[in-house]
Amino acid sequence: MPLTAVFDVVGSLSWTQLALGATSFTILWFLVTSTVAWYKLRHIPGPFFASFSNIWLVWTAYSGLSHLIIDAEQKKHGSVLRTGPADVAIFDPETLMRINSARSPYTRGMWYRSARVDYRADSVLTELDIGAHGKRKSKLASAFSGKNVARLESKVDEWIAALIAKIHTNIASGRETMDIGKLVQYFQVDLISDIQLGEPWGDLEGNKDAFGFLKMSDNFLPAMQSFAALPLARAIYTSPWFMRLFGPKPTDTSGLGLFIGIIEKEVNRRFGSNIEKPSESRDLLDIWIDHGLTPDECQLDLSLLVPAGTETTASMIRGTLLLLGSSPVPYRKLKQELRDAIAAGRISNPVTNDEAKRLEYLQAVISEGFRLMVPISFGFPKVVPPSGDTICGKFIPGGTNVYPNYHGMMRNKEVFGHDADIFRPERFLDDEHKAAYMRKVTDLAFGAGRFMCLGKALALIEMNKIFVELLRNFDIQTASPERPWQRTGYTTWIIDNFLTRVTEDTTMR
Ligand code: HEM
């Protein structure tokens, strides 16, 4: 039918007929696209709505309880769970290791784009081209390896000392019950910002969220992480024009935008002049410049580090403190291990990373903390190669997003035993063979292979030190055991009101 004839027919219809036609067309369109979407993964079980619409995952993510909901569904439906028309979740560690391995044909899903912080271009985290990602990552990695690790360690010592001093001051002024969760966040923000440019944000000193970054992150996280599961919404809010209008900008006066502005100026300053610095005051930017990163790469990847490196590590520290502060038996055992190590001269003040690695019970506590309080609960999907793949005995067609369900994986009873939901560090000490495998799985909290977290070495140094230093100085117990904190999960966590009673322990000084 020629186009003019179509216009004639449409023109002859009444408004009611047009409305009815449009509604019928929309319903038909929805039915056809939903059926096509459902058909591809029809053999994968999951919640009914998830099989034909992304809304199930969006709503689950927005609830703040995605870790519990997805976990319950996964237990009900098995090792491959359908979470969306083109999405599945897995909690089998071997599958995750295979997908992430160096030669894996899997790529990163569009979901990664939701982590964009700068409208101008991608950071290493949001770069979807696997070749470009690998090259960029290897240049960035220099700052977290080799002789630079010693520099990171001394920064960690400096900031743990500042945290301890802050707690002493609180106690001395009668504030033994404190929101230790907030202090840990301030500590982490100062540490990362100091490592980056040698300029801490001053959260701990000012006892406040100096740049408004933590508040901004808490405000945006629920919507951002939920809409990350909706391709159209994600494409809109990660598009350069949308981000330019509503995202963080270098001209902002608070939040991440302000920090992006500061980074931009500093990157331009360092590239514009040949600044000679003594080796002990060299920061991450100096190292990246030495390794040939361009000004744009430095700018984009420095902006990423605060969001990537703060809430993850802070969640783990807060989580482990909650577990310790509410579990008298492991708490006493850890204190005793520290007491013995100090008496035998096996640990210095502050403890070194190497010394801490030799404290058996501490290492078991850290592994158990990572497991039960895994900082990333769900997300970072990889895309099945075009030829498809068989996962846990089921064929998964090319293009499907495979989401690791980290929360479920870390509580997998087949790996961790029947009491996997319980804080029991001894599980890592009982049987060395089993423990070695459990540690390997727990390590997946950082991703693996080519998609491994870039800040892993730094985070581990922090874990190795912070519990030793806190517990050799203080006694810590949760202040309101019936509701120790408010925690909601949006890939990472929002934790509020983590009140603890902290008292001086002078027996180990
Ligand atoms: C306990 C602390 C941490 C945990 C559990 C953690 C976990 C993760 C995970 C699961 C990923 C994604 C892996 C994937 O793509 O599959 C990741 C990526 C990343 N993390 Fe971490 N992280 C932590 C701390 C840090 C810190 C302290 C920094 C930096 C200072 C950092 C920087 C990054 C960066 C830059 C990436 C992107 C790496 C890439 O593009 O391949 N993380 N992290």
Side-chain angles (χ1 to χ4, degrees):
M1 191 191 287
L3 210 53
T4 46
V6 174
F7 284 129
D8 285 346
V9 173
V10 172
S12 67
L13 296 175
S14 69
W15 283 110
T16 318
Q17 285 169 321
L18 276 175
L20 269 174
T23 311
S24 315
F25 178 77
T26 311
I27 292 172
L28 189 69
W29 173 260
F30 178 75
L31 287 175
V32 170
T33 52
S34 299
T35 310
V36 170
W38 161 81
Y39 188 79
K40 271 178 111 178
L41 286 171
R42 64 195 180 288
H43 56 300
I44 305 297
F48 173 69
F49 285 111
S51 61
F52 59 88
S53 165
N54 288 301
I55 298 298
W56 184 83
L57 194 50
V58 173
W59 184 247
T60 300
Y62 193 71
S63 70
L65 300 172
S66 56
H67 53 295
L68 300 177
I69 298 171
I70 291 171
D71 214 13
E73 293 291 345
Q74 188 112 52
K75 279 188 184 122
K76 191 159 93 191
H77 295 290
S79 47
V80 189
L81 169 76
R82 188 163 194 184
T83 54
D87 306 319
V88 298
I90 52 151
F91 69 169
D92 170 48
E94 296 296 325
T95 304
L96 183 59
M97 289 178 213
R98 182 170 65 79
I99 285 176
N100 279 16
S101 66
R103 292 213 177 83
S104 157
Y106 277 72
T107 52
R108 284 171 151 182
M110 288 299 284
W111 181 96
Y112 274 80
R113 279 275 151 83
S114 64
R116 250 190 172 197
V117 288
D118 194 316
Y119 66 85
R120 290 168 287 195
D122 281 308
S123 68
V124 68
L125 180 65
T126 59
E127 174 61 68
L128 299 184
D129 179 319
I130 293 298
H133 167 254
K135 279 195 199 124
R136 186 156 167 184
K137 194 169 177 181
S138 67
K139 285 197 268 176
L140 298 173
S142 55
F144 297 96
S145 57
K147 65 180 191 313
N148 292 316
V149 173
R151 230 187 301 268
L152 295 177
E153 186 170 347
S154 71
K155 279 289 170 206
V156 172
D157 286 340
E158 222 177 275
W159 283 103
I160 291 181
L163 173 67
I164 304 270
K166 188 82 192 170
I167 298 176
H168 281 311
T169 311
N170 279 357
I171 297 173
S173 55
R175 283 174 282 136
E176 287 180 340
T177 301
M178 58 188 89
D179 187 341
I180 201 159
K182 278 270 165 295
L183 292 183
V184 168
Q185 284 181 297
Y186 297 162
F187 150 80
Q188 190 63 23
V189 164
D190 281 344
L191 169 68
I192 300 289
S193 50
D194 190 9
I195 285 173
Q196 286 184 307
L197 297 178
E199 286 286 340
W201 288 9
D203 282 19
L204 205 48
E205 195 186 355
N207 202 23
K208 61 171 192 223
D209 177 16
F211 280 50
F213 163 72
L214 296 169
K215 184 167 160 236
M216 188 191 88
S217 159
D218 284 1
N219 288 344
F220 281 101
L221 199 62
M224 230 179 78
Q225 292 302 1
S226 318
F227 287 114
L230 206 56
L232 182 63
R234 190 181 54 219
I236 293 172
Y237 80 75
T238 59
S239 63
W241 64 267
F242 187 92
M243 287 193 76
R244 189 191 287 257
L245 281 175
F246 304 107
K249 284 179 282 296
T251 48
D252 288 351
T253 52
S254 70
L256 195 57
L258 174 59
F259 192 53
I260 291 176
I262 293 175
I263 291 175
E264 189 175 70
K265 278 199 201 103
E266 190 57 21
V267 168
N268 290 339
R269 193 177 76 86
R270 301 236 191 135
F271 273 90
S273 54
N274 226 342
I275 302 163
E276 280 299 318
K277 274 186 166 183
S279 69
E280 65 280 2
S281 64
R282 284 163 54 76
D283 53 39
L284 204 129
L285 177 54
D286 296 315
I287 299 165
W288 282 353
I289 293 174
D290 285 355
H291 279 82
L293 269 98
T294 64
D296 281 350
E297 285 172 337
C298 288
Q299 160 80 50
L300 293 159
D301 292 329
L302 282 171
S303 307
L304 160 74
L305 285 197
V306 171
T310 51
E311 286 302 19
T312 42
T313 318
S315 302
M316 161 60 186
I317 298 172
R318 288 175 291 182
T320 308
L321 286 177
L322 172 65
L323 294 168
L324 281 170
S326 45
S327 315
V329 176
Y331 184 90
R332 272 202 307 271
K333 281 195 185 170
L334 181 56
K335 285 284 264 200
Q336 192 57 47
E337 179 175 63
L338 301 185
R339 201 165 279 122
D340 294 345
I342 292 169
R346 281 188 281 117
I347 60 174
S348 330
N349 192 357
V351 66
T352 67
N353 193 38
D354 286 340
E355 289 165 350
K357 282 192 212 160
R358 290 193 287 271
L359 297 176
E360 241 190 5
Y361 200 75
L362 170 74
Q363 291 307 316
V365 165
I366 294 172
S367 297
E368 194 70 340
F370 264 121
R371 195 176 73 72
L372 288 175
M373 296 291 175
V374 62
I376 306 269
S377 59
F378 182 80
F380 299 100
K382 309 297 180 293
V383 181
V384 178
S387 53
D389 189 17
T390 300
I391 296 181
C392 300
K394 294 194 164 137
F395 180 76
I396 307 296
T400 306
N401 288 298
V402 181
Y403 285 80
N405 165 11
Y406 288 107
H407 189 267
M409 193 176 299
M410 297 299 164
R411 288 164 188 248
N412 189 330
K413 290 191 169 49
E414 281 172 29
V415 179
F416 296 103
H418 68 281
D419 61 351
D421 289 324
I422 306 292
F423 179 57
R424 193 177 66 82
E426 288 72 15
R427 79 181 75 248
F428 288 93
L429 302 170
D430 291 344
D431 168 337
E432 185 39 42
H433 180 67
K434 278 192 192 155
Y437 186 64
M438 286 193 276
R439 276 194 295 271
K440 199 171 161 196
V441 175
T442 308
D443 215 37
L444 290 174
F446 287 103
R450 65 156 63 135
F451 301 114
M452 170 86 81
C453 167
L454 206 52
K456 181 179 174 188
L458 171 63
L460 288 179
I461 294 173
E462 291 188 61
M463 300 311 150
N464 283 337
K465 287 168 176 264
I466 197 158
F467 305 115
V468 175
E469 297 309 320
L470 283 172
L471 292 190
R472 74 150 43 138
N473 279 280
F474 308 109
D475 270 316
I476 293 174
Q477 69 180 71
T478 51
S480 39
E482 75 285 4
R483 194 154 196 222
W485 65 13
Q486 280 109 50
R487 185 177 82 147
T488 38
Y490 302 96
T491 296
T492 53
W493 307 93
I494 297 182
I495 296 173
D496 275 320
N497 295 323
F498 178 24
L499 291 182
T500 43
R501 190 172 145 71
V502 189
T503 47
E504 299 282 356
D505 177 358
T506 52
T507 61
M508 282 193 250
R509 290 188 214 146

